[in-house]
Amino acid sequence: VIVVDDGSTDGGGEFVRAVTDTRVRYVRQARAGVSAARNYGIDLAGGDLVSFLDADDWYLPRFLETVVAMARAHPDIGFFGTGYRRVRADRARERAAETASLPQLTDDIEIVGNPFRRWIGRPMICTDSVAVRRDLLVLMQPCFPVGESLGEDLDLWFSLAERSALAYAPAVLACYRVGHPGSVTDASPPPTELLPSVRRLEQRARSDTRSSSAAGKERC
């Protein structure tokens, strides 16, 4: 576990440094934003898979077990994800108790060849519900666009979807907390124009000469 402290001032680093488990590594950087923090974590990671967990969110039982199982079963795929649930901060404890008691299934796996079609209407994944092969991420560094804090994760998911199918377990195995005071998403004003990540996706789509409809029928 690599904990990247992005110049926090709430004393959280003291809690991490107090952990005596040698599998937990704490590093601190000057405030540079969530994208720079995640890229730093990727550089430091030594495992075959990299997964991300923001400070106010959490995994449910069997998330790591599930993504590892998918990676072993599909060595030709580099991108893995599970279902997730949005939880309001004021109901976090109540919702955590509810979801922790649910059966977590690992045998319902879908290979999504064209995630773009599936994303229409509702996102399938969030930052906390994915795992990616580290060797693929290293080739793509910087994976997250430094300086961006809204939609920066979409940029990576779109880029990964252009390189690999997505092995997807729809079981809810991660919780994404919303309405938490101080979080980047809730502190930022609603965007009034297309996010840079969406503009970049549009540019790539316009320059792509492949037939996306044919690829979708063939791979989905």
Side-chain angles (χ1 to χ4, degrees), residues 15 38 55 100 123 169 181 209 220:
F15 287 97
R38 292 185 188 135
T209 58
C220 279

Side-chain angles (χ1 to χ4, degrees), residues 18 37 59 87 103 123 128 155 159 174:
Y59 295 144
V87 181
D128 308 295
D155 202 74
S159 296

Side-chain angles (χ1 to χ4, degrees), residues 34 38 52-58 127-128 152 176:
V34 62
R38 292 185 188 135
F52 308 94
L53 185 63
D54 289 345
D56 53 344
D57 305 325
W58 65 92
T127 305
D128 308 295
E152 80 293 336
Y176 174 72

